[in-house]
Amino acid sequence: MDFGVLGAVTVDGATIPAGKQLSLLAALVCHANRPVSGDALAQAAWPSAAPSPSTFRWHLHRLRAMVGDRLVRRGSGYMLIVADDELDSLRFTQLIQRAAAAPAERALPLLDQALALWRGAPYGGLHDLEEIKVEAATLQEARLEAIEARAKALMLLGRFAECAGDMATAVAEQPLREPFIELWLRALAAAGRPAEALRLYGQTRAKLVEELGVEPSGPLRRLHEELLRHDPAPRLLPPDVHAFTGRTKELGVLDQLLHGPANVAVISGVGGVGKSGLALHWAHHSSDHFPDGQLYADLGRHPAADVLPRFLAALGVILIPEDHTARVALYRQILAERRMLIILDNAPGSAHVEPLLPGAAGCVTVVTGRSRFEKLVADSGALLIQLDVLPPADATLLVSRIARIEPGHAAPLVELCARLPLALRVAGARLVTRPGWTPEVLAARLTEERRLDELRVGDLDVRASLEAGYQDLPDAERVLFERLGLLPVPTFTAWMAAALLMVPVSTGGDLLERLAERQLLQPEGLDVAGQERYRFHDLIRLLARERAGNGPVQDTVRDRFLSCLLALAKDACARDEYRGGFRLLDSGAPHWRPRGRVLPDEPMRWMAAERETLIAGIRHAAERGHAAMCWDLALAGVRLFEIHGQFVDWEQTSQLALRVCRDHGETQGAGAMLASLCAVEAFRYRREKALALAEEALPLLGESSIKALTPANLSAAELALGDTEAALAHLTQAVSMAARVGDALSEAVLLARLAPLQGGDPRPMLDRAMKLAAGNPRMSSLISLADLHASVRAGRHADAQTLSIRLLTDARRYGDRVLERVALCLRADSLTALRRPAEAAACLRRAHELAVIQNVPTEARRISALLQAQRPLTAEGLSAHEPRM
């Protein structure tokens, strides 16, 4: 059975006609489930005079006919039994209580259900009994409070226009109820109608004064003050950056946000590189595109959970939800109808940004931070700006603007500040704030070891900015970061990290990537060997070196790196074209090999990728006085320098190692380096220098491949100068020495070089050489070169063309520029004989280019003369007999 009192009194939906039964029922429902005395019931129905007992019983009988056994006798009184869900006022109260304990999104439907129970004035306006009058007044107040609670829920959910409409109706019913008026005005302001809210406040104040003789209450007056202060378009941007310089390309990328489709950009980079400055400068210059205002937050200092309430308040929200999820929903709902710019500065990562991203496309968000924000790029289609240091010209201009000096005077500071904008600003500020200092004075201070100490002025501290990513590193990443500072190499790869920490190569790669994610390393991409390479920013390298310190542990780490470099370099040479032969000298320096694969299928690609590492390692070994390590690394580097024609590197590293060997009494190493330098001079066709070096080297070398190759290298220089007899003698000596030490590959190559110089058919000697070199593609190519030379001399130009094409293919596959140069010259000779001068000239032009790159001026001049004379290098020339180490 259902009873209703929120309006006319009803039973099962039927209205009770006015009369005694209605009064009796109202009194019983008002005290549902509680006994009511007969006198009280009689007073409710017959307030003027008590009825006769029979009359009273007759009306009770008629009432029982309506409600059945729900009306029961209790002592001298009566009670109406009602279940909780059978009386609308009880259901109303229960819904209100549940709504009060729920968040706004769940409270709103509960309040709607509660208010939907109301059909009119409680108890139909039947207030003859005092208890009914009090109960009706209590219910009416509860209804008004429910209306107020519903309005607050709408505000918390961002449904401001709906709230304003509902409260207009409520105020019309209760024109002097100030909480209703306050909510109405707040809703109007939040819906973008602050002027209307101010006008209605004035009307309300006049009505209160006129009808009640009072001023508005404190909350309403404070709201009035807020309305007067409120800017409907919040502008929270910090000031623009002073003397902003450059970044034209990056500003152009950000301009793409103004026209879509992307509405998020992330600016990533190391500390101090100018991420915040770029974002703020663009924001100020683009503010006209965002009529609804700009929001700004420094997420490095304040988490998103703390920023949201501030953003909501700036957007005009007075009632801010307690629940974080509700705040995010409200924030996005407000922004859905606005065009605003949101700058989220110094964000630690994508997860810290996501709660503050608008949900609709009308707003634009710019995020800055050290993270690479992969999730924002993937999920939000964010434009990625990886900010690097300034170009030299822009860096110079920035210092000059800050310091108020001529750009030319600022130039010495630019590289000392590593072109990092924060460092450049600090340098400029120091010049301004220290009278008497010149750029030269500051430059001298910055060249000292304590450079990071000098790059600090006031709150601007380069070290503190760079350290932000270092302070909270996990142990493994922190140790790796510090130890990378010990290495004198320009870039880093996984095998280096493995050597520094004694971990597998894969782990080393993972740790490097984690440092890159924190912007402590910069990814360089894949090198020619397929390795991911990373580099330090110059000032971050200083920080890492500071944190690494010095001591026995650091010395051990450096030595292990050198031992790993040596082991890998020698493995690369042994596994590539020289495998199975060329038993070179061994210094006895320690080898350390990491766990995991490092060398690719073509190991000399790894050598090429690590060229700068190898040179730096040779220098570092020399600085540390490790003579054996130094000359063994230099000897391993010869393989790379030889095939790539990098003669300057070859000469400089061999000379450095020779000096160290002499300083430390390393006789064998000195002999090896003298032989190496002899080969360099032979490559350059400097016979006298090569001969002198060979004479000095041979007594220091035991029976070895290097000793056999030394006279062979002399033969190349001699042949270049036309002394065929001397060349023949030296090559014959070299072949004998190689056979004596059992070096089949050396013997094969030397036989191939000797064959064209012997009288008669060279084929038997070439066949023997090819047999000795069987299974070694690299050596087979060198023997084919001799075959090509013999074919050109014999006039077999069709054979020469086939051989030259195959040789050029091999040379380019190996990256052997010397072999390529020689084969091109011989191919040009054959093409000329076949009367194809244009093709011959093209070959000579490429050969000349290679000779210049390889710094072989004698050969470059020779080829240049041939080009000018339009005649090829003859087969009697020297190109087929390049020296080999």
Side-chain angles (χ1 to χ4, degrees):
M1 186 168 287
D2 186 76
F3 297 91
V5 295
L6 300 180
V9 179
T10 61
V11 176
D12 285 337
T15 302
I16 308 300
K20 303 304 182 183
Q21 287 83 21
L22 175 60
S23 298
L24 290 171
L25 179 60
L28 288 166
V29 171
C30 181
H31 297 85
N33 300 316
R34 292 177 293 164
V36 182
S37 67
D39 291 342
L41 286 174
Q43 179 65 29
W46 292 273
S48 302
S52 66
S54 60
T55 300
F56 180 70
R57 286 194 299 274
W58 185 83
H59 283 288
L60 281 176
H61 176 73
R62 293 287 303 273
L63 180 60
R64 186 174 282 110
M66 292 183 226
V67 300
D69 57 4
R70 297 301 185 92
L71 180 60
V72 297
R73 187 70 182 265
R74 286 291 184 269
S76 60
Y78 299 86
M79 181 172 69
L80 184 67
I81 300 173
V82 178
D84 288 349
D85 61 346
E86 292 179 330
L87 179 58
D88 58 1
S89 61
L90 290 178
R91 293 200 299 273
F92 172 78
T93 301
Q94 290 168 351
L95 288 168
I96 295 301
Q97 291 171 347
R98 288 171 57 194
E105 65 271 17
R106 294 210 307 269
L108 187 61
L110 296 173
L111 291 167
D112 286 338
Q113 292 178 48
L115 291 170
L117 296 173
W118 284 77
R119 296 168 284 106
Y123 289 92
L126 183 66
H127 299 159
D128 293 341
L129 191 64
E130 186 62 27
E131 289 90 338
I132 295 177
K133 183 187 296 185
V134 172
E135 174 69 9
T138 300
L139 288 172
Q140 184 66 14
E141 181 62 25
R143 172 178 169 273
L144 297 177
E145 290 174 357
I147 293 172
E148 185 177 335
R150 185 180 184 278
K152 290 179 179 179
L154 288 173
M155 291 288 286
L156 291 173
L157 294 173
R159 294 160 62 174
F160 305 126
E162 181 181 349
C163 180
D166 289 352
M167 293 317 295
T169 302
V171 170
E173 179 185 335
Q174 298 285 329
L176 299 179
R177 189 177 178 89
E178 291 196 31
F180 280 12
I181 298 168
E182 180 184 354
L183 281 167
W184 186 22
L185 300 185
R186 289 190 185 280
L188 287 170
R193 297 154 63 185
E196 186 176 351
L198 285 169
R199 179 177 57 80
L200 289 171
Y201 173 84
Q203 293 177 0
T204 298
R205 178 182 177 276
K207 184 176 292 188
L208 287 170
V209 170
E210 178 183 349
E211 296 188 17
L212 301 179
V214 297
E215 289 286 341
S217 63
L220 208 53
R221 290 198 306 273
R222 285 192 293 274
L223 172 60
H224 179 235
E225 294 171 0
E226 291 173 9
L227 291 172
L228 291 173
R229 291 195 307 266
H230 178 61
D231 183 352
R235 296 174 177 86
L236 303 186
L237 291 180
D240 196 358
V241 180
H242 169 58
F244 184 87
T245 304
R247 305 301 193 194
T248 302
K249 177 182 177 182
E250 291 81 1
L251 290 169
V253 174
L254 290 172
D255 282 343
Q256 296 177 29
L257 298 171
L258 302 177
H259 311 292
N263 59 0
V264 179
V266 294
I267 305 173
S268 178
V270 302
V273 80
K275 303 180 293 295
S276 301
L278 172 62
L280 289 175
H281 183 73
W282 181 81
H284 279 281
H285 284 259
S286 305
S287 59
D288 291 345
H289 293 271
F290 303 99
D292 295 319
Q294 307 91 35
L295 300 173
Y296 172 89
D298 185 343
L299 297 185
R301 297 183 178 182
H302 308 287
D306 294 342
V307 170
L308 260 177
R310 183 163 64 86
F311 277 9
L312 289 171
L315 293 167
V317 177
I318 305 300
L319 298 173
I320 297 174
E322 293 293 330
D323 180 68
H324 178 72
T325 303
R327 289 177 176 177
V328 173
L330 176 56
Y331 170 73
R332 288 177 176 160
Q333 184 164 347
I334 296 172
L335 293 185
E337 299 178 358
R338 305 191 187 189
R339 180 160 179 78
M340 299 188 70
L341 172 62
I342 300 96
I343 304 293
L344 303 176
D345 206 6
N346 297 315
S350 297
H352 301 78
V353 170
E354 288 174 347
L356 299 172
L357 291 178
C363 295
V364 166
T365 306
V366 178
V367 182
T368 78
R370 289 178 172 84
S371 169
R372 289 183 292 190
F373 302 102
E374 289 96 337
K375 194 171 188 298
L376 285 182
V377 173
D379 293 350
S380 302
L383 300 176
L384 175 60
I385 299 175
Q386 183 66 46
L387 210 57
D388 204 347
V389 296
L390 287 170
D394 289 340
T396 302
L397 184 58
L398 176 58
V399 176
S400 69
R401 287 177 173 177
I402 299 292
R404 304 182 184 95
I405 59 177
E406 291 298 321
H409 295 157
L413 299 172
V414 168
E415 293 306 324
L416 291 170
C417 293
R419 293 185 277 128
L420 187 74
L422 177 60
L424 296 167
R425 289 182 176 277
V426 170
R430 296 201 77 183
L431 290 176
V432 170
T433 58
R434 285 159 177 78
W437 275 28
T438 64
E440 291 72 23
V441 169
L442 181 56
R445 297 176 71 95
L446 291 175
T447 56
E448 299 174 359
E449 291 184 1
R450 299 175 65 253
R451 189 187 313 182
L452 291 178
D453 293 327
E454 296 292 335
L455 291 174
R456 179 175 58 196
V457 58
D459 293 335
L460 298 178
D461 187 344
V462 172
R463 179 187 282 108
S465 177
L466 298 177
E467 275 188 331
Y470 164 81
Q471 294 291 354
D472 60 345
L473 282 175
D475 289 345
E477 285 96 319
R478 178 179 52 78
V479 173
L480 176 58
F481 173 77
E482 295 167 355
R483 291 183 177 180
L484 288 173
L486 299 173
L487 299 189
V489 299
T491 57
F492 311 104
T493 57
W495 69 264
M496 300 182 198
L500 296 180
L501 297 182
M502 300 181 71
V503 297
V505 174
S506 59
T507 302
D510 291 343
L511 293 173
L512 287 172
E513 181 61 19
R514 291 175 199 166
L515 290 177
E517 288 172 359
R518 293 173 177 260
Q519 295 291 343
L520 292 171
L521 288 176
Q522 302 303 301
E524 290 278 277
L526 298 179
D527 60 24
V528 295
Q531 303 176 115
E532 185 75 46
R533 301 198 79 86
Y534 302 85
R535 67 174 171 86
F536 269 139
H537 181 278
D538 289 350
L539 296 181
I540 292 181
R541 185 184 290 274
L542 284 180
L543 176 66
R545 183 67 191 86
E546 279 185 1
R547 294 294 175 263
N550 286 303
V553 173
Q554 289 80 356
D555 291 341
T556 299
V557 169
R558 292 186 181 100
D559 291 346
R560 187 166 58 246
F561 164 72
L562 291 174
S563 298
C564 185
L565 176 60
L566 178 62
L568 292 171
K570 294 179 80 169
D571 287 350
C573 293
R575 283 176 48 191
D576 201 73
E577 64 269 22
Y578 298 99
R579 56 187 175 271
F582 282 175
R583 294 194 298 277
L584 298 179
L585 299 178
D586 190 338
S587 69
H591 295 53
W592 188 91
R593 290 177 174 83
R595 287 172 286 161
R597 185 182 182 189
V598 175
L599 301 179
D601 292 336
E602 297 184 27
M604 291 308 288
R605 286 186 177 274
W606 180 87
M607 289 287 285
E610 299 296 354
R611 170 178 161 270
E612 290 184 321
T613 304
L614 185 63
I615 294 171
I618 294 167
R619 290 174 180 162
H620 191 56
E623 291 168 359
R624 294 175 59 75
H626 295 340
M629 177 70 71
C630 183
W631 74 257
D632 214 346
L633 281 171
L635 190 60
V638 166
R639 300 292 172 242
L640 172 68
F641 305 144
E642 175 190 346
I643 66 173
H644 286 272
Q646 294 161 338
F647 300 127
V648 173
D649 292 339
W650 186 351
E651 181 179 25
Q652 289 179 350
T653 55
S654 295
Q655 286 177 343
L656 175 61
L658 177 60
R659 286 197 298 272
V660 175
C661 288
R662 285 172 169 167
D663 290 343
H664 292 80
E666 275 279 341
T667 303
Q668 185 184 36
M673 292 300 97
L674 287 165
S676 176
L677 290 167
C678 171
V680 175
E681 297 303 331
F683 263 104
R684 292 172 169 171
Y685 309 125
R686 297 170 180 171
R687 178 184 181 184
E688 298 305 319
K689 287 186 177 182
L691 183 58
L693 288 164
E695 289 175 349
E696 188 178 358
L698 287 173
L700 303 178
L701 297 169
E703 293 295 324
S704 66
S705 297
I706 288 182
K707 189 168 185 176
L709 290 172
T710 300
N713 290 335
L714 284 174
S715 72
E718 290 161 342
L719 201 58
L721 297 175
D723 192 347
T724 305
E725 184 177 348
L728 184 62
H730 275 126
L731 269 176
T732 302
Q733 178 189 7
V735 169
S736 176
M737 293 172 68
R740 189 164 59 249
V741 298
D743 189 338
L745 289 183
S746 293
E747 183 181 358
V749 174
L750 296 174
L751 282 170
R753 289 167 61 180
L754 181 61
L757 302 180
Q758 297 276 28
D761 185 6
R763 177 56 53 191
M765 192 173 289
L766 290 174
D767 288 345
R768 181 185 169 199
M770 192 63 77
K771 184 176 181 181
L772 288 170
N776 192 303
R778 168 71 173 149
M779 295 301 103
S780 297
S781 293
L782 295 178
I783 295 165
S784 295
L785 180 64
D787 196 359
L788 172 61
H789 181 259
S791 297
V792 173
R793 287 187 63 188
R796 300 193 307 271
H797 297 300
D799 292 343
Q801 289 302 298
T802 302
L803 273 171
S804 65
I805 291 172
R806 189 173 72 221
L807 271 173
L808 287 171
T809 301
D810 289 346
R812 288 160 185 163
R813 183 173 71 248
Y814 295 135
D816 191 334
R817 292 179 175 180
V818 174
L819 177 61
E820 182 182 0
R821 171 166 56 84
V822 175
L824 283 167
C825 287
L826 291 170
R827 178 172 172 79
D829 198 356
S830 179
L831 286 167
T832 299
L834 293 171
R835 298 185 178 182
R836 294 157 63 181
E839 295 176 68
C843 289
L844 288 174
R845 282 194 294 272
R846 172 58 179 162
H848 180 267
E849 179 184 344
L850 290 171
V852 172
I853 292 172
Q854 296 160 16
N855 194 25
V856 188
T858 302
E859 186 72 353
R861 286 193 297 271
R862 188 190 315 277
I863 298 170
S864 180
L866 292 170
L867 278 167
Q868 291 174 8
Q870 289 296 306
R871 62 184 180 83
L873 185 66
T874 67
E876 299 299 327
L878 311 173
S879 298
H881 301 283
E882 295 291 349
R884 292 283 143 181
M885 269 296 286

